[in-house]
């Protein structure tokens, strides 16, 4: 069930059965010559939406602008400062806990978000620790590509050129979600370079077309469907364990 498609009485009824919610969280940033700027938000969003439809677990809105200062050398990229994101995440968390949600699972689509999400969790828990009050809420984050079994599928589909940014795996997932947005672009060089980076100017100098170590011209909607199927199944299992509640519904496929 999607929070955005539910009425408030439906959310109230859900909270009597389950106090957990999944929040997809990503980024709005360049993903190379054929990748969508929304890639890191779209991937967790589609995986969570399909898992929510099958399991009945509630899926919240996508937190879709993250830490992408290093991508600002490319048109369309947007970023939050880490301090802004920590504050915004705490407002999201406190809005949900006010209604009784006590398990919030962030399904992350962007490696650059990880440390800031953890900092936001520490900020939230500090409210309780400093008050010497036990916190009834548990927060967790998981990168979708690290869900059990997903890496095996990605390595089988893309034995070469997976890389670490604008990967054929993530681009495939977005092409599956939005087949009208598929772009066919020749990659030069075929596999992009790998290196470190600091700010936006440094990133653009090191990675002129935006990719890191990848060949996303291998991406197809069919491969994305395989990845999403594996991620969906693993996500339902993990969320069920974290919430301490069995899936609420098994929709017909
Ligand atoms: Ni990405």
């Amino acid at each position: 069930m999607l929070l955005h498609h539910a009425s408030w009485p439906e959310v109230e009824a859900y909270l009597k059965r389950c106090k957990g919610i999944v929040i997809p969280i990503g980024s709005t940033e360049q993903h190379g010559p054929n990748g969508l700027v929304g890639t890191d938000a779209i991937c967790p969003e589609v995986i969570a939406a399909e898992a929510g439809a099958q399991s009945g677990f509630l899926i919240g809105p996508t937190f879709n602008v993250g830490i992408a200062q290093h991508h600002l050398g490319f048109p369309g990229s947007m970023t939050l400062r880490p301090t802004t994101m920590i504050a915004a995440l705490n407002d999201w968390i406190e809005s949900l806990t006010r209604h009784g949600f006590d398990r919030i699972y962030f399904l992350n689509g962007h490696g650059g978000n990880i440390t800031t999400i953890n900092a936001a969790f520490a900020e939230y828990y500090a409210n309780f620790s400093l008050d010497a009050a036990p916190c009834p809420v548990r927060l967790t984050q998981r990168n979708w590509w690290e869900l059990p079994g997903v890496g095996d599928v990605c390595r089988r589909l893309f034995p070469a050129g997976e890389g670490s940014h604008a990967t054929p795996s993530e681009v495939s997932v977005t092409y599956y979600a939005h087949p009208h947005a598929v772009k066919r672009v020749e990659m030069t060089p075929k596999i992009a370079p790998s290196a470190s980076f600091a700010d936006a100017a440094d990133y653009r100098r090191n990675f002129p077309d935006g990719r890191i170590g990848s060949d996303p011209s291998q991406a197809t909607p069919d491969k994305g469907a395989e990845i999403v199927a594996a991620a969906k199944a693993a996500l339902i299992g993990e969320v069920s364990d974290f919430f301490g509640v069995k899936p609420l519904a098994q929709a017909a496929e």
Side-chain angles (χ1 to χ4, degrees), residues 113-181:
N113 285 345
I114 297 168
T115 53
T116 305
I117 295 170
N118 278 334
F121 292 175
E123 180 81 21
Y124 179 77
Y125 290 135
N127 296 321
F128 295 86
S129 301
L130 290 166
D131 278 353
C135 177
V137 173
R138 290 294 177 268
L139 309 167
T140 195
Q141 67 164 320
R142 180 68 136 160
N143 300 318
W144 68 261
W145 60 91
E146 291 179 343
L147 286 165
V150 173
D152 294 337
V153 174
C154 295
R155 279 185 290 276
R156 173 170 54 75
L157 293 172
F158 306 111
E162 173 70 355
S164 61
H165 183 68
T167 69
S169 294
E170 61 181 344
V171 174
S172 292
V173 170
T174 66
Y175 284 1
Y176 162 71
H178 301 288
H180 62 279

Side-chain angles (χ1 to χ4, degrees), residues 198-250:
D199 68 338
D202 187 46
Y203 186 107
R204 178 118 196 195
R205 191 166 49 242
N206 293 346
F207 313 105
D209 73 3
R211 298 174 291 148
I212 302 180
S214 65
D215 171 19
S217 68
Q218 304 174 84
T220 69
D222 287 352
K223 291 171 183 167
E226 273 194 65
I227 296 167
V228 169
K232 173 180 75 170
L235 179 63
I236 292 171
E238 276 209 352
V239 165
S240 180
D241 287 348
F242 180 63
F243 291 175
V245 176
K246 290 201 186 330
L248 306 174
Q250 294 291 340

Side-chain angles (χ1 to χ4, degrees), residues 31 39-40 109 165 170:
H31 269 75
T39 296
D40 286 354
H165 183 68
E170 61 181 344

